[in-house]
Amino acid sequence: MSIPDRASVVIIGGGVAGCSIAYHLTRIGVTDVVLLERSRLTSGTTWHAAGLVGQLRATRNLTELAKYTAELYRSLEAETGQATGFRQNGSVSVAKTPARFEELKRGASMGKTFGLEIDVLTVGEIKERWPLLAIDDLIGGVFLAKDGQTNPIDTTQALAKGAKQRGARIFENTAVTKIRVEHGRAIGVETRDGFIAADTVVLCAGMWSHSIARECGVAVPLHAAEHFYIVTEPMIGLPGNLPVLRVQDECAYYKEDAGKLLMGCFEPVAKPWGMQGIPEDFSFETLPEDYDHFEPILDAAVRRVPALADAGIQLFFNGPESFTPDDRYYVGETPEVRDLFVATGFNSIGIQSSGGVGKVLAQWILDRRPPMDLCDVDIRRIVPFQANRRYLHDRTVESLGLLYAMHWPYYQYQTARGARRTALHDRLLAAGACMGETAGWERPNWFAAPGTTPQYEYSYGRQNWFDACGAECRAVRDGVALFDQTCFAKFLVQGADACRILNHLSTASVDVPAGRIVYTQWLNDRAGIEADLTITRLGAHEFMVVTSAICQTRDLAWLRTHIAAEPGASCTVTDVTAGIAMLGVMGPRSRELLQSLSGADLSNAAHPFGQSREIEIGYAFVRASRITYVGELGWELYLPAEHCLDVYERLLAAGEPLGLRHAGYHAMGACRVEKGYRHWSHDIGDEDTPLEAGLGFTVAWDKPGGFLGRDALLAQRARGTLPKRLVQVMLQDSSEQAPLLYHEEPIVRDGIIVGSIKSGAWGHRIARSIGMGYVSCEASVTREWLESGRWEIEVACQRYPAAVQLQPWYDPKNERIKS
C-alpha cells in the first residue's frame, strides 16, 4: 500500500500515544487518518515500558484521564480481538518515614474527591497483600484497588487494530523527514516516499519530538534518559495476583509477570542520553548495562524482597525514555504553528496516560478546543528557552528521580538553575534571598534573617522559612515591603485596532481613558477563563498587558491567534517582558516612600486606585500603577531594565527609616490567599466561568460589541443558579498544630465531600490556616446553603472543622487598598 497524497490527520509516531490518538479519532468519526512510523510500531520506547497502569494523578482531570485509560484497557481486547495482557490487581505504595506516610495519606484524601477507591493500610495489611515483603521498617501504605498492569506491545497493537478497523491507515518503515509549514500553519509532512498534505499534523515521536519540532521552529522541551529494570527468572512461590508495588523511599517499583518479578527504579541522579540527538535507526534497541549505577537500588531491593537473593536475573535492561523539565507530558496545539498538535514527553507514564490523552486530543483536534481543563499538560505552559539542549540535559539528571522523590510542598528544582535572572539578582542574594524558580526565572521566595541560611528544610508542616515569611507579611500590613516582580510577563499591544481587539477578548471594557488599569479575564466561547490579567491603556492606540510568568507563552499565543484571525487589522503585539523591570512597593507607608522619592502627589485625589501614571525616581521615568496582589495600599513600578538598579538603590535608601523590608513570593502567595485573589491554573481555569469564580464584577455585560464568551455567560446568568462556586475556607483551629492546606484537600459538608481546595496558605495577617476552592450543590451554591452546613477539611485522612464563606477573610471591604 502506497502512501496517500493527503489525509485529514497525519500522526507522526507509532508508539502507544500515536496509536491511541488514531484509535480515538476514528471512534469519533475522523477516519481519514494516516499514522507514519519510521520503523515498526512500538519500536522507540513503548516496547520496553514496564506497563504500569496507575490512576491517581496530581489533579482531578488528569486522574479522570488515567481512570479512563484503565477502563479502556479493560475492554480493548473484547472490542478488537487483540490480547492486551491487562490485569487489574491493584497497587500498593508503602512508606518508611512519617513524611512519606503523610504524603500517601494526603494523596488518599485527594483521591476521594476524584472518586477513587483508596484504602490506607497498616503494616500488617501490607504484608497480607504482598507476602514476600520485608516490613520491619515500614509504617504504613495505601492500596488502589483498580490500578493494574498491561503488556505495552500488545496494548498498542490492539489500539492500532481498532483504528484500522474503522478506516485509519498505518504505514511502518516510513520516516517523516520534515513538517511543512506555510504562513504559520502545518500543511503536511515530507517523507522519503513523498509529501502528504494534511489539515492537521500530530507529533507523537517520543524522544525524536524535540528535534523534529525544532526543525519547524517549535519548542518541545524533552530529553532522553537511561531507565533501568531487571526481570528475574521464574520464582517458585511467587503469587500470580500480586498488586504493583511501589517503594518510593527506595526509588523502586515491582511487578509480577508470568511468574517472574520485574523491579525497576527512578534513581535520584539519572543518566541523560542522546545529547547529540537520537539516531533515526534506533529501533528495539537497548543501552549498555551499568551495574554500578543500578547496584544501590538492587541491594535495597534484595533487603526489601528477600526472595530476590535466591532468584536468578534473566534480564538486566537499560533503555531510553524521554523526560520533560517539570515531569509532566505535553498535549495540545503548539503556540508557534497552527494545526500542529503534540502528544509526547511522557516521563515514563506513557502507558497509563495514553488512553486518556488519545481521547482528549482527538476531541481537541475535531473541535479545535480542549474538551476539558488540561493546563497542567498543555504545551503552551513552556517557554521557548526550555528547548535548549544543555538546559534539558542538566534538568533531566534530576527530573527522572523526582518521580519517586518526596513531593514536598514548595519544592524547588536543584538543577538547570539561573537561566533567567533579573537585574537585581545579586543584590537580592546579598539581602538574604532564598531563590525559587518559575518558568526559568530566579526569583526570591523568602529572605533569611541575618545569621541564618537561605536554604529550604522541607516538610508538610511549617517549614524553616515560616517565620521569615510571617515577618514579610507583617511588613506588608504595617509598613512597606519591596517585591521584585520582573518575572511577570508584559506585552505591548499597538495599532488603530488594538482597542477593539482587546475589548473583544476582555470581559471588562478596556476602552477607558489613558492611564486607567483594567483587571479582566479573557474567555473562550464556553465562558471558561483562558487568561486572568491586567491591561493598562497607555495611549489612544497603545496598551500594556501584564500576566503571570507561567502564562507568558499561553496568553501571548491566545492574543496573537485572535489578532491573526483578522488579517487586515492594524494591531501588533510585542513581548517586552525582558526589557521592563517591575517592582512592587506595598504597604501603608508605600505612598510616603514614593512621594519622598518622586515629589509626585500620590494622594487618593491625585492618584486613585486603578490609575497608572509616569513619575520620576532618580534618573528614571517610572510608570507607577496603583494596584496590588497582596491587598494593601501599593504601587507596581514599571521601568526600563537598565534603570532598575538605580531605582532600587534609591528605594532602599529612602525606605530604611520607614522600615522597608524585602519580601518574596511566599509572602505574596499568603497575602493573596487571605484576600481571595485568584491565580490562573490554581483557582481559575478554562472550565471555570467568572460567575462561578466570583469575578462577575469584571464583566461589562453591555459594552458595545460584547466580548468572546458573552453568550455563554449570559445563558449562565439567566439560569439564575450556580451549582459550582469558589469559596474561602478557614480552619477553626488557630493553634500552631493546625495543618497547612496546599492543594486538593477535600472540602466536606455535613460529612459529604462537595469540593476541594485549589490554593492554600497560612494567613500571617490573620493567623489562620486558610484556602480557597470550589464546592458544588446541584440546586445552587448560595449563602444560605453555605451557612447552613457543617464544614470540615480533610487533610491526610483526618477531618478538621472549618468555616466557609464567599468573601475574603482579610479586608473584605477593600478599605486598606483604597486608603
Side-chain angles (χ1 to χ4, degrees):
M1 181 170 60
S2 60
I3 64 170
D5 293 331
R6 70 165 293 108
S8 176
V9 180
V10 171
I11 299 170
I12 306 170
V16 67
C19 290
S20 177
I21 293 164
Y23 170 89
H24 284 92
L25 281 168
T26 60
R27 275 187 63 168
I28 60 175
V30 183
T31 57
D32 184 18
V33 175
V34 169
L35 185 149
L36 304 174
E37 164 54 44
R38 67 188 172 84
S39 176
R40 302 286 301 277
L41 295 185
T42 78
S43 62
T45 294
T46 298
W47 73 275
H48 63 73
L52 309 186
V53 185
Q55 297 179 85
L56 181 61
R57 310 306 304 157
T59 65
R60 175 183 298 275
N61 284 342
L62 295 186
T63 298
E64 292 297 336
L65 295 185
K67 287 168 62 179
Y68 169 80
T69 298
E71 294 164 3
L72 172 67
Y73 291 171
R74 187 168 58 242
S75 62
L76 197 56
E77 182 173 339
E79 177 194 343
T80 64
Q82 165 70 49
T84 63
F86 180 70
R87 290 190 291 150
Q88 210 160 22
N89 293 339
S91 73
V92 172
S93 296
V94 301
K96 293 172 61 177
T97 67
R100 178 70 73 179
F101 198 25
E102 177 164 359
E103 177 182 294
L104 294 178
K105 287 188 291 184
R106 281 180 176 261
S109 288
M110 178 177 69
K112 293 178 185 178
T113 71
F114 307 153
L116 291 183
E117 297 178 28
I118 306 179
D119 297 318
V120 177
L121 303 179
T122 64
V123 173
E125 290 169 331
I126 293 171
K127 186 72 171 180
E128 291 173 7
R129 285 175 168 80
W130 242 87
L132 301 182
L133 200 64
I135 60 172
D136 54 299
D137 59 346
L138 301 182
I139 62 174
V142 296
F143 175 67
L144 282 82
K146 292 188 176 180
D147 280 1
Q149 59 193 68
T150 198
N151 181 299
I153 294 177
D154 290 346
T155 300
T156 304
Q157 292 290 352
L159 290 166
K161 185 175 181 181
K164 289 189 288 186
Q165 287 172 342
R166 288 186 290 268
R169 291 166 287 177
I170 295 178
F171 296 87
E172 297 180 296
N173 299 306
T174 306
V176 171
T177 58
K178 183 179 180 182
I179 298 171
R180 188 184 292 183
V181 176
E182 290 184 5
H183 307 297
R185 293 180 178 272
I187 63 165
V189 299
E190 305 275 5
T191 77
R192 293 190 177 90
D193 298 320
F195 173 71
I196 306 177
D199 301 316
T200 303
V201 177
V202 188
L203 179 59
C204 308
M207 299 179 291
W208 291 266
S209 297
H210 176 275
S211 58
I212 294 173
R214 187 165 180 156
E215 286 295 316
C216 63
V218 171
V220 180
L222 55 79
H223 200 292
E226 300 181 32
H227 181 56
F228 301 88
Y229 59 74
I230 61 162
V231 180
T232 70
E233 295 176 345
M235 294 175 63
I236 297 174
L238 184 67
N241 62 345
L242 283 177
V244 170
L245 172 68
R246 295 179 178 86
V247 188
Q248 293 165 311
D249 291 318
E250 294 169 353
C251 312
Y253 62 87
Y254 302 78
K255 181 188 81 166
E256 183 277 331
D257 192 4
K260 307 170 187 177
L261 195 62
L262 180 151
M263 189 280 289
C265 71
F266 295 101
E267 68 276 22
V269 180
K271 295 182 66 180
W273 178 79
M275 281 69 75
Q276 305 307 314
I278 312 298
E280 183 184 312
D281 60 356
F282 189 86
S283 178
F284 295 110
E285 292 187 49
T286 62
L287 302 178
E289 296 180 1
D290 188 343
Y291 185 79
D292 290 341
H293 186 79
F294 190 69
E295 184 178 20
I297 306 295
L298 183 58
D299 288 347
V302 171
R303 293 191 296 271
R304 183 60 55 201
V305 183
L308 281 173
D310 301 318
I313 296 178
Q314 185 181 81
L315 173 67
F316 185 108
F317 185 85
N318 180 13
E321 299 189 17
S322 60
F323 293 84
T324 65
D326 60 4
D327 274 336
R328 289 180 277 144
Y329 53 84
Y330 301 128
V331 296
E333 188 175 25
T334 66
E336 301 94 338
V337 175
R338 300 295 306 279
D339 302 325
L340 174 60
F341 287 74
V342 297
T344 191
F346 282 100
N347 301 284
S348 205
I349 59 167
I351 302 302
Q352 64 184 281
S353 303
S354 290
V357 165
K359 179 183 179 181
V360 296
L361 196 62
Q363 199 66 49
W364 195 338
I365 290 168
L366 178 65
D367 298 336
R368 283 311 196 255
R369 65 187 189 195
M372 61 194 298
D373 181 6
L374 295 166
C375 69
D376 280 349
V377 291
D378 193 320
I379 184 68
R380 292 175 293 173
R381 75 183 185 272
I382 63 100
V383 283
F385 91 88
Q386 291 177 307
N388 175 279
R389 293 187 183 95
R390 174 53 57 184
Y391 170 86
L392 290 169
H393 169 276
D394 293 350
R395 175 58 60 82
T396 301
V397 171
E398 178 183 17
S399 60
L400 179 148
L402 290 179
L403 293 172
Y404 274 18
M406 283 293 302
H407 299 93
W408 294 116
Y410 304 105
Y411 177 79
Q412 302 298 320
Y413 293 105
Q414 302 299 303
T415 55
R417 294 291 298 270
R420 304 172 83 184
R421 310 180 200 185
T422 77
L424 301 182
H425 181 78
D426 291 346
R427 302 295 182 93
L428 298 175
L429 287 177
C434 184
M435 291 291 182
E437 183 254 6
T438 295
W441 282 104
E442 295 293 318
R443 59 186 204 175
N445 279 346
W446 54 282
F447 288 82
T452 63
T453 303
Q455 182 174 325
Y456 280 90
E457 297 173 11
Y458 294 112
S459 77
Y460 276 98
R462 299 183 175 192
Q463 297 185 10
N464 64 311
W465 48 265
F466 183 88
D467 289 339
C469 178
E472 294 167 23
C473 291
R474 289 185 289 275
V476 171
R477 180 192 66 191
D478 301 330
V480 59
L482 177 64
F483 296 88
D484 182 2
Q485 298 177 241
T486 300
C487 66
F488 279 53
K490 297 157 287 261
F491 313 137
L492 191 63
V493 185
Q494 299 169 297
D497 293 309
C499 182
R500 179 179 57 79
I501 289 174
L502 288 174
N503 223 22
H504 173 67
L505 291 180
S506 303
T507 56
S509 175
V510 302
D511 192 3
V512 295
R516 279 283 302 278
I517 310 164
V518 177
Y519 171 54
T520 189
Q521 285 76 50
W522 290 347
L523 309 183
N524 53 44
D525 58 6
R526 305 177 307 284
I529 300 171
E530 293 284 347
D532 180 71
L533 38 76
T534 63
I535 300 176
T536 302
R537 188 164 200 170
L538 305 179
H541 305 305
E542 188 172 30
F543 297 80
M544 181 173 65
V545 176
V546 179
T547 188
S548 66
I550 63 168
C551 293
Q552 181 173 0
T553 298
R554 179 190 179 93
D555 292 355
L556 185 59
W558 186 262
L559 180 54
R560 283 177 168 164
T561 295
H562 285 86
I563 293 173
E566 300 188 34
S570 174
C571 184
T572 63
V573 57
T574 307
D575 188 341
V576 295
T577 303
I580 298 182
M582 178 178 170
L583 304 177
V585 181
M586 300 290 158
R589 305 196 75 175
S590 58
R591 176 182 286 121
E592 183 180 355
L593 172 58
L594 293 177
Q595 285 188 153
S596 71
L597 280 170
S598 67
D601 182 358
L602 301 180
S603 65
N604 277 324
H607 197 143
F609 183 78
Q611 291 290 328
S612 178
R613 59 188 278 211
E614 197 171 76
I615 63 175
E616 295 182 16
I617 298 178
Y619 301 133
F621 292 102
V622 177
R623 174 161 295 280
S625 296
R626 188 174 168 191
I627 197 168
T628 178
Y629 199 46
V630 295
E632 302 287 354
L633 173 70
W635 279 261
E636 292 175 352
L637 306 180
Y638 298 86
L639 62 155
E642 65 265 29
H643 292 297
C644 187
L645 276 171
D646 174 44
V647 172
Y648 169 76
E649 291 167 352
R650 294 174 189 275
L651 286 169
L652 287 190
E656 184 176 4
L658 303 178
L660 175 71
R661 188 181 188 108
H662 288 92
Y665 281 83
H666 289 339
M668 182 178 289
C671 290
R672 72 108 184 152
V673 174
E674 286 178 312
K675 276 291 293 177
Y677 289 155
R678 284 64 166 158
H679 186 279
W680 197 91
S681 82
H682 283 88
D683 316 303
I684 50 178
D686 61 13
E687 289 191 307
D688 309 309
T689 73
L691 297 181
E692 293 166 342
L695 296 171
F697 65 90
T698 72
V699 179
W701 296 96
D702 300 320
K703 67 177 177 177
F707 55 88
L708 179 61
R710 178 177 181 269
D711 291 344
L713 201 59
L714 279 172
Q716 185 178 59
R717 185 177 70 165
R719 287 192 290 271
T721 60
L722 287 172
K724 180 185 83 170
R725 293 187 76 174
L726 189 69
V727 297
Q728 310 299 315
V729 176
M730 175 189 289
L731 295 189
Q732 292 182 357
D733 184 356
S734 61
S735 71
E736 292 187 0
Q737 285 69 48
L740 300 180
L741 306 181
Y742 296 112
H743 186 61
E744 294 294 0
E745 292 88 353
I747 303 174
V748 183
R749 183 184 186 271
D750 296 339
I752 299 172
I753 295 174
V754 295
S756 62
I757 298 294
K758 298 305 177 186
S759 291
W762 180 266
H764 289 276
R765 293 179 295 191
I766 58 176
R768 287 293 184 91
S769 187
I770 57 174
M772 67 179 90
Y774 288 95
V775 295
S776 297
C777 173
E778 186 174 350
S780 188
V781 177
T782 63
R783 291 183 186 274
E784 293 73 24
W785 182 77
L786 294 176
E787 292 169 358
S788 64
R790 176 177 58 85
W791 294 93
E792 298 171 295
I793 307 299
E794 182 170 314
V795 182
C797 299
Q798 184 174 342
R799 293 183 176 180
Y800 298 85
V804 175
Q805 63 184 34
L806 294 173
Q807 66 267 31
W809 299 109
Y810 185 74
D811 188 26
K813 296 182 179 180
N814 291 328
E815 293 170 338
R816 295 183 66 87
I817 66 174
K818 296 181 179 180
S819 61

